[in-house]
Amino acid sequence: MAAPRTARQKEIRRHLWIYGALTPYVIIAVFPIYWMLITAFKQDRDLYRMDVFPLWFHLPPTWKNFTYLFYSTNYVDWVINTMTIAAWVAGITLLTAVPAGYALARLRIPGAENLGIAIFMTYLVPAIILFIPLSRVVAMLGLQDEWWSLVVVYPTFTIPFCTWLMMGFFKTVPMEMEEAARVDGCGYLGALLRIVLPVSVPGILTSVIFAFTLSMQDFLYGLAYVSIGDQKPVTVGVPTELIRGDVFFWGSLMAAALMVGLPVAILYNFFLDRFIQGITGGVGK
Amino acid sequence: MNEQLPLQTDHASVSRRRFLTVAGAGVAGSSLLTMLEARQAPAQIKGTTLRILQWSHFIPAYDAWYDKFAREWGDKNGVKVRVDHIPHLEIPARMAAEFAAGSGHDIIYNGSSILTRLYYKNLVDLSDVADAAGKKYGGWIPSARPLVEVEGRWFGLPLFYILLPMLYRKDLFDQNNLKAPDTWELARVAARTLKPKGHPSGIQLSQCADANLNWRSLFFSFGGQEADASGENVLIDSKELRETLRFAKALYDEGMTAEVFSWDDASDNRYLASGVGCWVHDAISAYRTTEDTNPEVFKNTVIALEPQGQGGKRVSVAAPNVWMVWKFSKNQQAAKEFLTHLIDNDIEGMVQSRGYNMPYLNSRYKKPMPIIGTDPKMQILQDFPKIVAFYGYPGPATTPIQEVVNTFVFPDIFTKVARGTNIEDAVKWGVGEYRRIYAKHKRA
Amino acid sequence: MTASSHSGGPDAAGARAAAVSVVSRARPRGWFKSQSSRRLAFGYLLLAPAVLYVLLLVGAPFLFSLWLAVSDANVGEQVASFVGIENFRAALESEVFFIALRNSIVFTVVAAIFKGLLGTTLAFLLLQSFKGKKLIRGLVVIPFTLPITISVLSWKWMYDSQFSVINWFLSRIGLIGSYGSPEWPVWLGEPYLALAACIAVNVWRSFPFSAIVLLAGFTSVPNEILDAARVDGTSFFQRFRHVVVPMIAPILLIGFLFDTVFTLSDLSVVYLLTQGGPANATKILPVLAYQIGIQAGALGRGAAISLFLFPLLLPLMILLLRNLKRREY
């Protein structure tokens, strides 16, 4: 029959249109990753050549860049440090931003609006200025050259945004729920813990992912506060130890990028739905 | 100054340090000399820690050797030594952070960008170590002292510098009947001849360290001067600058391509290694990179002396490397001991860096020097020390010069001219920037 | 009046809501003191960690940086003296400063336009239902998740004047000349190209974020409203402009603000790609401030440069955020 075929044809055509339109985006987004992949496995001699097709190998691929990374640098330490730092920072951010967001959203604090704005304004203070007085703080805490110093410093840029995120999110939790809980004798704390938080899991997960990702974007603080090889996070270790003098160790650089980038991307992807839900929650519905 | 101080009876390192600082550097110097002559580590430094921060050498093997070297010294003297490495470009940020924190490493390094004058009030006077080394090894080359000297005292210890010689492709030159680039004019002719054949040359016209070094070599070889011997007066507004710029424009138009505007410090290395560049003016890291990645090209690469400028002068601007000790260091004595040990072994460092590190002490230049003396292709490097200069030549590396260097004013003048700006306008801009920067530092 | 919120019992939700609003309007004094003060105490307690953190680790250093900007501070000096607006005046006298200011503004504006365009179109595409949507969504988000220094370095290699794979492609398909000819774009060497190259990296990193935020916003608009608008005969774009955008404006605004501030203060992209060259074509304020304040040691002047936009951005931010709060209700 003509009708079902046309419907299916239409569906296929629609799919083709969409895939076609999406292709440039996917290529743009993913091509650098592919490039990293190829470069990571190329021999140096294969790299500095202009006459050959650069997207495939001409000399056999090699594990050399990866072995250099693992045996001759502190790469493994860097990755572990980065992940640990990110986890701690996410935790600290949660412990500070979630309560603060709730307080600003629901507890009718006088001047809440201005306080919220003031917290967000901290983003206007540039890191290249902050890092100097903060180094004094880090030294006072005895954390110089340990990655713990970054755990202390990174929340300064994750807390403001996450507070806003949580603030917006908590506003969408119906007040009636909380009131009901308090009526039932929960008190403010109880209402928060037993009613509001469980409903806010998407928002909380969003904050976690966000804090996690943000803490991997820093370069300056890590550079200034951690100089010991095995204490560096990967974002500092890679540019500082794989670029020596005026020589770039491109193969190992790309290998390093791949191995830290892809797992994070996969993890992120996992939580993407929650992330969307979380941001959505931040909209006054 | 020659009194024997009762060191052996003074036990507590804290009170000894106070004693040293109160009594003044000269007194401390003589006591240190006594210890050095005794050639034994004083008991006071046993059990302490020493932390050193320096750059990541482009030859990883050098860093491996250095770390082992430091550890061995530490083991012999009962000191726990730790060496940390970060790129030399990031050291200023790190220094600012450590200074603000009032703690950090004991020994800190500066490469290319020498900030001794900025921080000298908080650095340990190393005149004793420097004088001892000078006495032992035939004296320092003239350009060493102005790097670190403030008020007549050495606040840093220059350890080595990095040369940027001429590296050229002999095979291409021979095939085209070109003479070796002993003068800049010959280099220009070569580039002009070889560019249409697919082998241009290149010097960075961008904001990077090599651009600061290379264009100054050209300018100084043409007889130009950056500042006078006192360092107070800027001398770039000269006939020589205009001649250099005219030459540079011709050189760029005839023999280079627009890529040089995007180059960083490593690009000329790659250029040579790819087989394209007919000559580059670069540190021997390019030579080593080519050796490792393109043996064909390497076979035909030759190192040559700094070309002569108009008037027959040769000046080669090198990148200095200086070690300093923070005043807040809790282990100044061990730091000084280690630095002495380091300078005693600067030749070993040269070997381990495959000839990259050039020493500052005269007796080291006795031929044949290690690595560069024995490798026939590298022997010419032994003739460089006579013609080496640093930023601010012939004056010292003052703080305004540092700012000029860090904001890339000098190469920017050349970039503007290469891009088509009228020479007079470019010079006016450059001189204006210099004057402004110098004025700011005078006000401060 | 007894507070009905204290009474137990099964009230209808509506009645409770009404009771709650009554309670919040009319408060008997005795009750007010204990209920409100407990609420406020709880609130301050919850707020305390965040506020303390920000106050101590950002507020205090910020005041310090204000001091730096009006002093002749220098990295090697513990004590600096007050010089008033001298640093700002010195900045305004310098041609490089104006170039940096211009570059910063151009960078942010152009990047915002592209991020908006690419993000919106991508979000529209992702709104459709099709097979493999999750996979595609996952792939497209990757630029945002990679640590910034690592992705910038990859781009640096892709822009290389000799070995650029982008150029290799473009020349193979005939869009540009071959290596050595004047049509071979030297991405990081030509002034406009270099700026475009840096902007491209910034856009590449951030447009997935814009797309996801928009997508989230779109999906949050309740279907009833959209259907109602459809029934009214509005076109897709009309619906978009008059229904969807106002509803998701708050989240759009926050995302936009955050991204703008980040772009204006980001050091890494330009620092790792061009250091501000060629001849200051890509010098933006943070890079200039870093070079003068840290690498050359003139801390006071560096602080003045990096804080220059602060008086402009601050009122703008306050205005936008105030506006936002009003929209939420």
PDB file of all heavy atoms in Angstrom, chain C residues 228-257:
ATOM      1  N   ALA C 228      -1.172  25.024  23.368  1.00  0.00           N
ATOM      2  CA  ALA C 228      -2.111  26.141  23.301  1.00  0.00           C
ATOM      3  C   ALA C 228      -1.654  27.128  22.245  1.00  0.00           C
ATOM      4  O   ALA C 228      -2.443  27.626  21.442  1.00  0.00           O
ATOM      5  CB  ALA C 228      -2.202  26.811  24.669  1.00  0.00           C
ATOM      6  N   ALA C 229      -0.360  27.376  22.230  1.00  0.00           N
ATOM      7  CA  ALA C 229       0.155  28.322  21.236  1.00  0.00           C
ATOM      8  C   ALA C 229      -0.019  27.772  19.829  1.00  0.00           C
ATOM      9  O   ALA C 229      -0.336  28.507  18.899  1.00  0.00           O
ATOM     10  CB  ALA C 229       1.621  28.594  21.522  1.00  0.00           C
ATOM     11  N   ARG C 230       0.193  26.467  19.689  1.00  0.00           N
ATOM     12  CA  ARG C 230       0.032  25.858  18.364  1.00  0.00           C
ATOM     13  C   ARG C 230      -1.387  26.011  17.879  1.00  0.00           C
ATOM     14  O   ARG C 230      -1.638  26.337  16.729  1.00  0.00           O
ATOM     15  CB  ARG C 230       0.401  24.361  18.436  1.00  0.00           C
ATOM     16  CG  ARG C 230       1.678  24.054  17.669  1.00  0.00           C
ATOM     17  CD  ARG C 230       2.018  22.585  17.715  1.00  0.00           C
ATOM     18  NE  ARG C 230       3.342  22.411  18.292  1.00  0.00           N
ATOM     19  CZ  ARG C 230       3.622  21.659  19.332  1.00  0.00           C
ATOM     20  NH1 ARG C 230       2.676  20.996  19.946  1.00  0.00           N
ATOM     21  NH2 ARG C 230       4.858  21.576  19.775  1.00  0.00           N
ATOM     22  N   VAL C 231      -2.292  25.768  18.845  1.00  0.00           N
ATOM     23  CA  VAL C 231      -3.710  25.870  18.487  1.00  0.00           C
ATOM     24  C   VAL C 231      -4.035  27.280  18.027  1.00  0.00           C
ATOM     25  O   VAL C 231      -4.811  27.484  17.106  1.00  0.00           O
ATOM     26  CB  VAL C 231      -4.582  25.470  19.699  1.00  0.00           C
ATOM     27  CG1 VAL C 231      -5.994  25.967  19.529  1.00  0.00           C
ATOM     28  CG2 VAL C 231      -4.536  23.965  19.881  1.00  0.00           C
ATOM     29  N   ASP C 232      -3.379  28.234  18.669  1.00  0.00           N
ATOM     30  CA  ASP C 232      -3.657  29.622  18.288  1.00  0.00           C
ATOM     31  C   ASP C 232      -3.120  29.954  16.913  1.00  0.00           C
ATOM     32  O   ASP C 232      -3.261  31.084  16.455  1.00  0.00           O
ATOM     33  CB  ASP C 232      -3.010  30.577  19.307  1.00  0.00           C
ATOM     34  CG  ASP C 232      -3.828  30.648  20.583  1.00  0.00           C
ATOM     35  OD1 ASP C 232      -4.982  30.189  20.542  1.00  0.00           O
ATOM     36  OD2 ASP C 232      -3.320  31.140  21.598  1.00  0.00           O
ATOM     37  N   GLY C 233      -2.443  29.011  16.292  1.00  0.00           N
ATOM     38  CA  GLY C 233      -2.003  29.229  14.914  1.00  0.00           C
ATOM     39  C   GLY C 233      -0.685  29.963  14.790  1.00  0.00           C
ATOM     40  O   GLY C 233      -0.370  30.526  13.749  1.00  0.00           O
ATOM     41  N   THR C 234       0.123  29.952  15.844  1.00  0.00           N
ATOM     42  CA  THR C 234       1.404  30.642  15.716  1.00  0.00           C
ATOM     43  C   THR C 234       2.399  29.748  14.966  1.00  0.00           C
ATOM     44  O   THR C 234       2.346  28.531  15.040  1.00  0.00           O
ATOM     45  CB  THR C 234       2.002  30.945  17.088  1.00  0.00           C
ATOM     46  OG1 THR C 234       2.020  29.719  17.830  1.00  0.00           O
ATOM     47  CG2 THR C 234       1.179  31.969  17.820  1.00  0.00           C
ATOM     48  N   SER C 235       3.327  30.373  14.301  1.00  0.00           N
ATOM     49  CA  SER C 235       4.364  29.596  13.616  1.00  0.00           C
ATOM     50  C   SER C 235       5.410  29.178  14.637  1.00  0.00           C
ATOM     51  O   SER C 235       5.414  29.637  15.778  1.00  0.00           O
ATOM     52  CB  SER C 235       5.022  30.447  12.537  1.00  0.00           C
ATOM     53  OG  SER C 235       5.931  31.323  13.166  1.00  0.00           O
ATOM     54  N   PHE C 236       6.288  28.300  14.190  1.00  0.00           N
ATOM     55  CA  PHE C 236       7.317  27.796  15.089  1.00  0.00           C
ATOM     56  C   PHE C 236       8.144  28.937  15.678  1.00  0.00           C
ATOM     57  O   PHE C 236       8.388  29.000  16.878  1.00  0.00           O
ATOM     58  CB  PHE C 236       8.216  26.807  14.333  1.00  0.00           C
ATOM     59  CG  PHE C 236       9.317  26.259  15.181  1.00  0.00           C
ATOM     60  CD1 PHE C 236       9.043  25.334  16.179  1.00  0.00           C
ATOM     61  CD2 PHE C 236      10.622  26.698  15.020  1.00  0.00           C
ATOM     62  CE1 PHE C 236      10.059  24.841  16.985  1.00  0.00           C
ATOM     63  CE2 PHE C 236      11.631  26.201  15.810  1.00  0.00           C
ATOM     64  CZ  PHE C 236      11.355  25.273  16.797  1.00  0.00           C
ATOM     65  N   PHE C 237       8.549  29.862  14.799  1.00  0.00           N
ATOM     66  CA  PHE C 237       9.417  30.920  15.297  1.00  0.00           C
ATOM     67  C   PHE C 237       8.683  31.895  16.200  1.00  0.00           C
ATOM     68  O   PHE C 237       9.252  32.437  17.131  1.00  0.00           O
ATOM     69  CB  PHE C 237      10.085  31.645  14.125  1.00  0.00           C
ATOM     70  CG  PHE C 237      11.116  30.799  13.465  1.00  0.00           C
ATOM     71  CD1 PHE C 237      10.909  30.264  12.211  1.00  0.00           C
ATOM     72  CD2 PHE C 237      12.293  30.478  14.127  1.00  0.00           C
ATOM     73  CE1 PHE C 237      11.850  29.451  11.622  1.00  0.00           C
ATOM     74  CE2 PHE C 237      13.246  29.664  13.542  1.00  0.00           C
ATOM     75  CZ  PHE C 237      13.025  29.143  12.289  1.00  0.00           C
ATOM     76  N   GLN C 238       7.420  32.104  15.875  1.00  0.00           N
ATOM     77  CA  GLN C 238       6.659  32.973  16.757  1.00  0.00           C
ATOM     78  C   GLN C 238       6.536  32.348  18.132  1.00  0.00           C
ATOM     79  O   GLN C 238       6.689  33.016  19.151  1.00  0.00           O
ATOM     80  CB  GLN C 238       5.253  33.223  16.183  1.00  0.00           C
ATOM     81  CG  GLN C 238       5.223  34.256  15.090  1.00  0.00           C
ATOM     82  CD  GLN C 238       3.853  34.367  14.489  1.00  0.00           C
ATOM     83  OE1 GLN C 238       3.191  33.345  14.245  1.00  0.00           O
ATOM     84  NE2 GLN C 238       3.395  35.574  14.238  1.00  0.00           N
ATOM     85  N   ARG C 239       6.260  31.057  18.115  1.00  0.00           N
ATOM     86  CA  ARG C 239       6.168  30.361  19.391  1.00  0.00           C
ATOM     87  C   ARG C 239       7.475  30.503  20.146  1.00  0.00           C
ATOM     88  O   ARG C 239       7.512  30.776  21.335  1.00  0.00           O
ATOM     89  CB  ARG C 239       5.882  28.864  19.176  1.00  0.00           C
ATOM     90  CG  ARG C 239       4.436  28.518  19.025  1.00  0.00           C
ATOM     91  CD  ARG C 239       4.213  27.061  19.373  1.00  0.00           C
ATOM     92  NE  ARG C 239       5.022  26.141  18.607  1.00  0.00           N
ATOM     93  CZ  ARG C 239       4.722  25.714  17.392  1.00  0.00           C
ATOM     94  NH1 ARG C 239       3.635  26.149  16.791  1.00  0.00           N
ATOM     95  NH2 ARG C 239       5.510  24.857  16.760  1.00  0.00           N
ATOM     96  N   PHE C 240       8.539  30.292  19.385  1.00  0.00           N
ATOM     97  CA  PHE C 240       9.849  30.370  20.013  1.00  0.00           C
ATOM     98  C   PHE C 240      10.055  31.721  20.676  1.00  0.00           C
ATOM     99  O   PHE C 240      10.397  31.831  21.845  1.00  0.00           O
ATOM    100  CB  PHE C 240      10.919  30.097  18.949  1.00  0.00           C
ATOM    101  CG  PHE C 240      12.308  30.107  19.484  1.00  0.00           C
ATOM    102  CD1 PHE C 240      12.692  29.183  20.447  1.00  0.00           C
ATOM    103  CD2 PHE C 240      13.243  31.027  19.050  1.00  0.00           C
ATOM    104  CE1 PHE C 240      13.981  29.183  20.956  1.00  0.00           C
ATOM    105  CE2 PHE C 240      14.539  31.022  19.550  1.00  0.00           C
ATOM    106  CZ  PHE C 240      14.906  30.106  20.504  1.00  0.00           C
ATOM    107  N   ARG C 241       9.811  32.775  19.894  1.00  0.00           N
ATOM    108  CA  ARG C 241      10.116  34.096  20.413  1.00  0.00           C
ATOM    109  C   ARG C 241       9.191  34.519  21.529  1.00  0.00           C
ATOM    110  O   ARG C 241       9.610  35.113  22.494  1.00  0.00           O
ATOM    111  CB  ARG C 241      10.021  35.125  19.285  1.00  0.00           C
ATOM    112  CG  ARG C 241      11.376  35.481  18.703  1.00  0.00           C
ATOM    113  CD  ARG C 241      11.267  36.619  17.722  1.00  0.00           C
ATOM    114  NE  ARG C 241      10.801  37.836  18.389  1.00  0.00           N
ATOM    115  CZ  ARG C 241      10.026  38.728  17.818  1.00  0.00           C
ATOM    116  NH1 ARG C 241       9.597  38.560  16.585  1.00  0.00           N
ATOM    117  NH2 ARG C 241       9.647  39.806  18.461  1.00  0.00           N
ATOM    118  N   HIS C 242       7.936  34.237  21.396  1.00  0.00           N
ATOM    119  CA  HIS C 242       7.010  34.831  22.355  1.00  0.00           C
ATOM    120  C   HIS C 242       6.621  33.933  23.510  1.00  0.00           C
ATOM    121  O   HIS C 242       6.135  34.402  24.516  1.00  0.00           O
ATOM    122  CB  HIS C 242       5.738  35.288  21.626  1.00  0.00           C
ATOM    123  CG  HIS C 242       6.020  36.345  20.615  1.00  0.00           C
ATOM    124  ND1 HIS C 242       6.348  37.625  20.970  1.00  0.00           N
ATOM    125  CD2 HIS C 242       6.072  36.303  19.266  1.00  0.00           C
ATOM    126  CE1 HIS C 242       6.574  38.344  19.867  1.00  0.00           C
ATOM    127  NE2 HIS C 242       6.418  37.564  18.834  1.00  0.00           N
ATOM    128  N   VAL C 243       6.838  32.648  23.322  1.00  0.00           N
ATOM    129  CA  VAL C 243       6.440  31.753  24.409  1.00  0.00           C
ATOM    130  C   VAL C 243       7.660  31.135  25.088  1.00  0.00           C
ATOM    131  O   VAL C 243       7.853  31.263  26.288  1.00  0.00           O
ATOM    132  CB  VAL C 243       5.534  30.622  23.877  1.00  0.00           C
ATOM    133  CG1 VAL C 243       5.205  29.653  24.996  1.00  0.00           C
ATOM    134  CG2 VAL C 243       4.296  31.207  23.257  1.00  0.00           C
ATOM    135  N   VAL C 244       8.481  30.482  24.263  1.00  0.00           N
ATOM    136  CA  VAL C 244       9.580  29.734  24.861  1.00  0.00           C
ATOM    137  C   VAL C 244      10.627  30.649  25.492  1.00  0.00           C
ATOM    138  O   VAL C 244      11.012  30.469  26.646  1.00  0.00           O
ATOM    139  CB  VAL C 244      10.239  28.838  23.791  1.00  0.00           C
ATOM    140  CG1 VAL C 244      11.423  28.121  24.375  1.00  0.00           C
ATOM    141  CG2 VAL C 244       9.231  27.851  23.254  1.00  0.00           C
ATOM    142  N   VAL C 245      11.093  31.603  24.727  1.00  0.00           N
ATOM    143  CA  VAL C 245      12.190  32.433  25.214  1.00  0.00           C
ATOM    144  C   VAL C 245      11.869  33.116  26.542  1.00  0.00           C
ATOM    145  O   VAL C 245      12.665  33.063  27.470  1.00  0.00           O
ATOM    146  CB  VAL C 245      12.623  33.459  24.147  1.00  0.00           C
ATOM    147  CG1 VAL C 245      13.568  34.476  24.761  1.00  0.00           C
ATOM    148  CG2 VAL C 245      13.315  32.770  23.000  1.00  0.00           C
ATOM    149  N   PRO C 246      10.691  33.754  26.671  1.00  0.00           N
ATOM    150  CA  PRO C 246      10.420  34.390  27.967  1.00  0.00           C
ATOM    151  C   PRO C 246      10.445  33.391  29.113  1.00  0.00           C
ATOM    152  O   PRO C 246      10.904  33.699  30.206  1.00  0.00           O
ATOM    153  CB  PRO C 246       9.027  34.993  27.788  1.00  0.00           C
ATOM    154  CG  PRO C 246       8.864  35.142  26.330  1.00  0.00           C
ATOM    155  CD  PRO C 246       9.630  34.043  25.700  1.00  0.00           C
ATOM    156  N   MET C 247       9.973  32.169  28.803  1.00  0.00           N
ATOM    157  CA  MET C 247       9.918  31.212  29.896  1.00  0.00           C
ATOM    158  C   MET C 247      11.290  30.728  30.312  1.00  0.00           C
ATOM    159  O   MET C 247      11.532  30.447  31.475  1.00  0.00           O
ATOM    160  CB  MET C 247       9.073  30.005  29.485  1.00  0.00           C
ATOM    161  CG  MET C 247       7.600  30.299  29.478  1.00  0.00           C
ATOM    162  SD  MET C 247       6.671  28.803  29.691  1.00  0.00           S
ATOM    163  CE  MET C 247       6.926  28.471  31.407  1.00  0.00           C
ATOM    164  N   ILE C 248      12.181  30.578  29.354  1.00  0.00           N
ATOM    165  CA  ILE C 248      13.486  30.047  29.741  1.00  0.00           C
ATOM    166  C   ILE C 248      14.512  31.156  29.916  1.00  0.00           C
ATOM    167  O   ILE C 248      15.697  30.893  30.102  1.00  0.00           O
ATOM    168  CB  ILE C 248      13.992  29.011  28.724  1.00  0.00           C
ATOM    169  CG1 ILE C 248      14.215  29.676  27.367  1.00  0.00           C
ATOM    170  CG2 ILE C 248      13.030  27.865  28.614  1.00  0.00           C
ATOM    171  CD1 ILE C 248      14.831  28.723  26.372  1.00  0.00           C
ATOM    172  N   ALA C 249      14.058  32.393  29.838  1.00  0.00           N
ATOM    173  CA  ALA C 249      14.991  33.509  29.964  1.00  0.00           C
ATOM    174  C   ALA C 249      15.900  33.432  31.181  1.00  0.00           C
ATOM    175  O   ALA C 249      17.101  33.680  31.060  1.00  0.00           O
ATOM    176  CB  ALA C 249      14.228  34.828  29.959  1.00  0.00           C
ATOM    177  N   PRO C 250      15.382  33.072  32.349  1.00  0.00           N
ATOM    178  CA  PRO C 250      16.279  33.045  33.512  1.00  0.00           C
ATOM    179  C   PRO C 250      17.490  32.150  33.300  1.00  0.00           C
ATOM    180  O   PRO C 250      18.616  32.571  33.527  1.00  0.00           O
ATOM    181  CB  PRO C 250      15.395  32.501  34.633  1.00  0.00           C
ATOM    182  CG  PRO C 250      14.028  32.807  34.228  1.00  0.00           C
ATOM    183  CD  PRO C 250      13.995  32.783  32.752  1.00  0.00           C
ATOM    184  N   ILE C 251      17.241  30.931  32.841  1.00  0.00           N
ATOM    185  CA  ILE C 251      18.389  30.047  32.731  1.00  0.00           C
ATOM    186  C   ILE C 251      19.303  30.500  31.594  1.00  0.00           C
ATOM    187  O   ILE C 251      20.535  30.400  31.677  1.00  0.00           O
ATOM    188  CB  ILE C 251      17.940  28.574  32.551  1.00  0.00           C
ATOM    189  CG1 ILE C 251      19.145  27.649  32.668  1.00  0.00           C
ATOM    190  CG2 ILE C 251      17.253  28.345  31.241  1.00  0.00           C
ATOM    191  CD1 ILE C 251      19.870  27.740  33.974  1.00  0.00           C
ATOM    192  N   LEU C 252      18.720  31.043  30.550  1.00  0.00           N
ATOM    193  CA  LEU C 252      19.549  31.555  29.464  1.00  0.00           C
ATOM    194  C   LEU C 252      20.458  32.658  29.969  1.00  0.00           C
ATOM    195  O   LEU C 252      21.641  32.714  29.646  1.00  0.00           O
ATOM    196  CB  LEU C 252      18.669  32.138  28.348  1.00  0.00           C
ATOM    197  CG  LEU C 252      17.974  31.167  27.425  1.00  0.00           C
ATOM    198  CD1 LEU C 252      17.306  31.934  26.304  1.00  0.00           C
ATOM    199  CD2 LEU C 252      18.946  30.177  26.848  1.00  0.00           C
ATOM    200  N   LEU C 253      19.873  33.511  30.791  1.00  0.00           N
ATOM    201  CA  LEU C 253      20.623  34.650  31.290  1.00  0.00           C
ATOM    202  C   LEU C 253      21.795  34.220  32.160  1.00  0.00           C
ATOM    203  O   LEU C 253      22.905  34.709  32.016  1.00  0.00           O
ATOM    204  CB  LEU C 253      19.671  35.530  32.095  1.00  0.00           C
ATOM    205  CG  LEU C 253      19.940  37.024  32.044  1.00  0.00           C
ATOM    206  CD1 LEU C 253      19.933  37.503  30.619  1.00  0.00           C
ATOM    207  CD2 LEU C 253      18.865  37.735  32.851  1.00  0.00           C
ATOM    208  N   ILE C 254      21.506  33.292  33.055  1.00  0.00           N
ATOM    209  CA  ILE C 254      22.590  32.839  33.935  1.00  0.00           C
ATOM    210  C   ILE C 254      23.699  32.187  33.120  1.00  0.00           C
ATOM    211  O   ILE C 254      24.887  32.469  33.315  1.00  0.00           O
ATOM    212  CB  ILE C 254      22.065  31.815  34.954  1.00  0.00           C
ATOM    213  CG1 ILE C 254      21.085  32.471  35.883  1.00  0.00           C
ATOM    214  CG2 ILE C 254      23.210  31.190  35.715  1.00  0.00           C
ATOM    215  CD1 ILE C 254      21.712  33.005  37.125  1.00  0.00           C
ATOM    216  N   GLY C 255      23.297  31.320  32.201  1.00  0.00           N
ATOM    217  CA  GLY C 255      24.306  30.655  31.378  1.00  0.00           C
ATOM    218  C   GLY C 255      25.113  31.668  30.588  1.00  0.00           C
ATOM    219  O   GLY C 255      26.347  31.593  30.511  1.00  0.00           O
ATOM    220  N   PHE C 256      24.427  32.648  30.037  1.00  0.00           N
ATOM    221  CA  PHE C 256      25.091  33.666  29.239  1.00  0.00           C
ATOM    222  C   PHE C 256      26.061  34.485  30.084  1.00  0.00           C
ATOM    223  O   PHE C 256      27.201  34.730  29.696  1.00  0.00           O
ATOM    224  CB  PHE C 256      24.023  34.563  28.611  1.00  0.00           C
ATOM    225  CG  PHE C 256      24.583  35.793  27.970  1.00  0.00           C
ATOM    226  CD1 PHE C 256      25.244  35.722  26.764  1.00  0.00           C
ATOM    227  CD2 PHE C 256      24.468  37.026  28.596  1.00  0.00           C
ATOM    228  CE1 PHE C 256      25.768  36.850  26.168  1.00  0.00           C
ATOM    229  CE2 PHE C 256      24.992  38.169  28.003  1.00  0.00           C
ATOM    230  CZ  PHE C 256      25.648  38.077  26.787  1.00  0.00           C
ATOM    231  N   LEU C 257      25.607  34.910  31.256  1.00  0.00           N
ATOM    232  CA  LEU C 257      26.457  35.683  32.156  1.00  0.00           C
ATOM    233  C   LEU C 257      27.711  34.912  32.537  1.00  0.00           C
ATOM    234  O   LEU C 257      28.828  35.409  32.476  1.00  0.00           O
ATOM    235  CB  LEU C 257      25.691  35.996  33.445  1.00  0.00           C
ATOM    236  CG  LEU C 257      25.160  37.396  33.592  1.00  0.00           C
ATOM    237  CD1 LEU C 257      24.430  37.507  34.896  1.00  0.00           C
ATOM    238  CD2 LEU C 257      26.291  38.394  33.523  1.00  0.00           C
TER     239      LEU C 257
END
